[in-house]
Amino acid sequence: MNWDFTGAQVVKGEVSYSLEEFRKDLYAEVKENFSDYDKKELDGIYQLAYDVCYCTASQHKLGELLAHCKQMGVKADLKFLMLIRDSNLNNIDMLKAIFARKVSEFMDAGASGDEALKKLDEYHRQVLAASEV
């Protein structure tokens, strides 16, 4: 995706860009790149792309995501996940910025570092639950 602002501006709070907005923009990008796919196929590609971005941005290993994919019946291998990761490096950086800003907000409100990370995980789950594609 292309933005008229940087991740650094998001981290500093100079620009407001939410996880919800990021997810909406990512879906639009997937839809644009795979315009000949039907909604079900688009949703699957979007979900996998988001999961790869999230996994990488939150410093999890793609192998963990691959195991989850296999449990869910998603046909993917590590090479495919790495290809998705490598084609989404800018998106991953922006997602990291969104998460860093959110952690900073939680800490500014009095949370410790560990508490802020727990609150970030809770916030992430709430956004996913509210915006399932």
Side-chain angles (χ1 to χ4, degrees):
M1 290 181 278
N2 292 313
W3 302 275
D4 58 356
F5 52 88
T6 66
Q9 289 175 299
V10 172
V11 171
K12 293 175 187 175
E14 296 171 359
V15 172
S16 177
Y17 187 58
S18 70
L19 180 57
E20 294 90 343
E21 290 169 310
F22 175 87
R23 287 175 53 86
K24 182 179 175 186
D25 289 345
L26 181 61
Y27 190 84
E29 181 178 66
V30 167
K31 189 174 181 180
E32 182 179 314
N33 289 334
F34 298 92
S35 58
D36 54 334
Y37 283 46
D38 66 28
K39 177 148 175 43
K40 184 177 180 183
E41 291 170 316
L42 282 174
D43 291 352
I45 292 169
Y46 160 76
Q47 191 59 54
L48 187 57
Y50 180 78
D51 288 348
V52 168
C53 290
Y54 173 77
C55 184
T56 305
S58 60
Q59 300 180 344
H60 289 91
K61 304 239 183 270
L62 287 178
E64 295 172 29
L65 177 57
L66 181 59
H68 176 72
C69 287
K70 288 184 180 198
Q71 284 180 329
M72 301 302 289
V74 175
K75 293 183 181 184
D77 60 16
L78 190 56
K79 190 174 180 179
F80 184 58
L81 297 181
M82 291 169 70
L83 177 68
I84 294 170
R85 178 199 61 204
D86 294 347
S87 65
N88 280 281
L89 294 177
N90 288 338
N91 294 340
I92 291 165
D93 285 343
M94 185 58 75
L95 190 55
K96 286 179 186 178
I98 292 166
F99 290 160
R101 180 69 205 149
K102 204 68 181 163
V103 166
S104 178
E105 289 172 6
F106 291 139
M107 291 178 74
D108 288 348
S112 69
D114 285 343
E115 290 169 339
L117 291 175
K118 287 178 185 174
K119 286 178 177 276
L120 176 64
D121 187 48
E122 180 182 316
Y123 163 74
H124 184 254
R125 281 194 309 270
Q126 289 173 348
V127 169
L128 291 185
S131 66
E132 283 302 315
V133 175

